[in-house]
């Protein structure tokens, strides 16, 4: 049987993290599962969780006038869902919906924030990792926009 700590060590987000920090994070973690089509988070609601995707796919959506949600990014194995738990005012900036059955490790955002406040080294490590992921997501968004506008110009 795998432990949560063993799963975290193998996830790209936590790869190479100091074992002391990993122990702090594990205390806020639990296995979660989302059914296909399930709305996981809603834009504007309190961002009180953070997820490491182990298997499955999740669509990040933004409301699109008269058309429901427009998928702006799809996340899968090895990705993370959520950075808003770390950034005031701690509200989700998008909707997220499971495209297929998805297994993840869910973290209690309030628990993690409290540990980050008490241990600034841990907090700094978490911020560095979240910011690195945000940079990757921004790059992916930029490339998608280039594709969209390149098609419009042709």
């Amino acid at each position: 049987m795998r432990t949560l700590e063993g799963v975290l060590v193998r996830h790209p987000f936590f790869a190479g993290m100091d074992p002391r920090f990993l122990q702090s994070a594990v205390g806020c973690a639990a296995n979660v599962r989302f059914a296909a089509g399930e709305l996981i988070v809603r834009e504007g609601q309190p961002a009180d969780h953070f997820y490491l995707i182990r298997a499955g796919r999740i669509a990040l959506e933004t409301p699109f006038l008269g058309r429901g949600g427009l998928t702006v990014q799809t996340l899968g194995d090895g990705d993370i869902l959520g950075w808003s738990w770390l950034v005031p005012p701690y509200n989700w900036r998008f909707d997220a919906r499971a495209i297929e059955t998805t297994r993840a490790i869910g973290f209690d955002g309030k628990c993690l924030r409290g540990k980050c406040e008490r241990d600034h080294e841990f907090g700094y490590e978490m911020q560095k990792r979240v910011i690195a992921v945000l940079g990757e997501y921004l790059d992916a968004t930029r490339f998608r926009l280039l594709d969209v506008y390149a098609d419009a110009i042709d």
Side-chain angles (χ1 to χ4, degrees), residues 117-136:
E117 285 295 326
R118 287 187 296 280
D119 181 347
H120 291 168
E121 287 182 59
F122 173 63
Y124 180 60
E125 185 65 26
M126 291 298 289
Q127 282 186 331
K128 287 191 304 185
R129 289 168 184 264
V130 168
I131 289 168
V133 169
L134 281 173
E136 292 172 14

Side-chain angles (χ1 to χ4, degrees), residues 2-3 9 18 32-33 35-36 43 47 59 64 78 85 88-89 96 114 125-127 138:
R2 289 191 199 175
T3 64
V9 165
D18 183 313
V32 295
R33 182 183 212 96
E43 182 179 348
F64 194 65
W85 67 272
E125 185 65 26
M126 291 298 289
Q127 282 186 331
L138 286 171

Side-chain angles (χ1 to χ4, degrees), residues 41-60:
V41 303
R42 182 169 297 286
E43 182 179 348
Q45 295 297 310
D48 51 6
H49 285 88
F50 156 63
Y51 302 96
L52 300 180
I53 303 168
R54 296 180 62 198
R57 291 186 317 136
I58 295 173
L60 299 183

Side-chain angles (χ1 to χ4, degrees), residues 35-104:
E38 182 177 346
L39 184 64
I40 301 166
V41 303
R42 182 169 297 286
E43 182 179 348
Q45 295 297 310
D48 51 6
H49 285 88
F50 156 63
Y51 302 96
L52 300 180
I53 303 168
R54 296 180 62 198
R57 291 186 317 136
I58 295 173
L60 299 183
E61 302 173 343
T62 190
F64 194 65
L65 213 52
R67 294 190 180 181
L70 174 68
T71 299
V72 294
Q73 186 168 3
T74 302
L75 305 175
D77 306 5
D79 288 330
I80 70 166
L81 168 61
W83 49 268
S84 299
W85 67 272
L86 188 59
V87 181
Y90 312 116
N91 292 321
W92 291 106
R93 313 283 171 105
F94 48 81
D95 292 347
R97 184 178 311 279
I99 298 171
E100 59 192 39
T101 300
T102 300
R103 291 182 304 122

